[in-house]
Amino acid sequence: MNAYIFPGQGAQFVGMGLDLYEKYPVAKEMFHTANEILGFPITETMFHGTAEGLKETKITQPAIFLHSVILSKVMGNIFKPDMVAGHSLGEFSALVANGTLTFEDGLQLVSKRALAMQRACEIQPSTMAAVLGLDDATVEKICTETPGIVVAANYNCPGQLVISGEVEAVNRACEKLKEAGARRALVLPVGGAFHSPLMEPAREELASAIEETNFAAPSCPIYQNVTTTAVNDADEIKKNLISQLTAPVKWTQSVQQMIVDGATIFTEIGPGKVLQGLVKKIDGSAETLSPELD
């Protein structure tokens, strides 16, 4: 069975999407539509901007979404997913790919999500840190025992977990994690504590936008970050998408469940190959691919 997976923030690079824009009329049309919906020429930053400019959350999230969704569109008839999943932001790309959201609605929600997250980051200093070489239970236990807000946020693959929370709490947790034998516990250059309780203002802001958006029945199941199981019901997809901002991204568990349910090939749709690497670390026997275009 074919599983299509969609990357999240961090996969961006300058020049992303330019090849699609220049080669495929449908891509050019979708990029122009995106500029109109967003109210600014995001294509300029994507195609010809700087790495610094592309790192802004309000740019990064729509840019990665656009690259992923447009790439799936130009694949044409060879894009036939049996199941989809996305890492954090990538969940929105996956929901357009399986017909739950329209391209226009998906882009508007992603833009609102990015701005809401940016505002939440400004309320309180917060950060994230990558933890390598420890089992999940040890990381969770240390987060629980650390004063302040710090939680397990991204379960990327066995031995690679990201924690998220208040700056002081994350720093304290990193020290304890190193003492517990972590190979690395490294604070990341991010604007805030994504997938933690500190994103509650953003979750509330995004919830109303999601509630007002039409979600159709998907063409194939999505394995959502919050539940890790196959979801086909539009109302349940909405509920999980609202929870996603303050809940952990259970990527390891989602991929494991997709394999249990029959996934044999994982094709990453979007910039980079980060998710292919994670899938291989989760299950070395899984086949991973990048899309082949005409």
Side-chain angles (χ1 to χ4, degrees):
M1 291 176 78
N2 290 311
Y4 284 81
I5 51 177
F6 298 81
Q9 206 160 333
Q12 70 276 3
F13 63 89
V14 175
M16 59 191 282
L18 181 58
D19 54 339
L20 302 176
Y21 180 89
E22 290 177 339
K23 188 173 180 183
Y24 301 96
V26 66
K28 183 176 279 192
E29 187 182 330
M30 289 174 79
F31 275 122
H32 285 312
T33 300
N35 286 341
E36 288 173 22
I37 289 171
L38 294 171
F40 66 91
I42 192 169
T43 47
E44 276 303 305
T45 309
M46 289 176 69
F47 301 163
H48 311 295
T50 63
E52 201 57 40
L54 203 53
K55 254 181 10 189
E56 271 192 83
T57 296
K58 70 173 185 179
I59 302 287
T60 312
Q61 294 195 18
I64 291 169
F65 169 87
L66 286 170
H67 190 281
S68 295
V69 171
I70 292 172
L71 182 54
S72 71
K73 187 63 72 177
V74 302
M75 286 173 70
N77 292 333
I78 63 169
F79 182 76
K80 291 177 181 169
D82 296 307
M83 54 180 79
V84 295
H87 191 288
S88 189
L89 159 72
E91 202 160 273
F92 288 82
S93 310
L95 288 170
V96 174
N98 78 351
T100 306
L101 287 170
T102 65
F103 167 64
E104 293 80 4
D105 284 346
L107 179 57
Q108 285 178 331
L109 285 178
V110 165
S111 180
K112 286 173 182 174
R113 179 185 190 264
L115 293 169
M117 289 171 78
Q118 192 63 52
R119 282 190 282 271
C121 292
E122 289 161 6
I123 293 170
Q124 183 171 4
S126 56
T127 192
M128 303 176 83
V131 182
L132 304 182
L134 280 183
D135 63 279
D136 294 349
T138 302
V139 178
E140 290 163 351
K141 183 172 184 289
I142 287 172
C143 285
T144 303
E145 293 170 352
T146 302
I149 297 172
V150 57
V151 297
N154 295 355
Y155 294 79
N156 286 334
C157 67
Q160 187 189 125
L161 211 155
V162 176
I163 61 173
S164 181
E166 296 165 334
V167 172
E168 281 303 309
V170 169
N171 286 334
R172 276 195 293 265
C174 282
E175 289 308 311
K176 290 183 183 177
L177 289 160
K178 286 174 193 169
E179 288 167 15
R183 198 163 71 248
R184 291 184 82 179
L186 183 71
V187 174
L188 298 171
V190 295
F194 305 144
H195 302 289
S196 83
L198 295 174
M199 282 292 116
E200 180 59 26
R203 190 198 66 80
E204 289 175 7
E205 201 175 322
L206 191 62
S208 56
I210 288 173
E211 292 290 4
E212 290 164 10
T213 302
N214 179 56
F215 279 53
S219 62
C220 70
I222 180 167
Y223 288 69
Q224 291 186 275
N225 295 173
V226 173
T227 62
T228 78
T229 52
V231 185
N232 285 292
D233 179 75
D235 289 333
E236 192 184 341
I237 289 171
K238 263 190 185 186
K239 186 184 77 176
N240 293 336
L241 204 56
I242 291 168
S243 300
Q244 195 219 60
L245 275 183
T246 52
V249 174
K250 296 178 180 174
W251 187 252
T252 301
Q253 300 90 326
S254 297
V255 171
Q256 287 169 338
Q257 189 58 51
M258 293 167 94
I259 291 167
V260 167
D261 292 349
T264 50
I265 301 171
F266 288 83
T267 304
E268 184 168 4
I269 308 291
K273 296 183 178 182
V274 171
L275 296 185
Q276 292 179 61
L278 295 181
V279 169
K280 280 292 190 188
K281 287 175 182 171
I282 294 165
D283 188 327
S285 66
E287 186 180 349
T288 60
L289 298 172
S290 295
E292 289 183 16
L293 301 176
D294 295 334

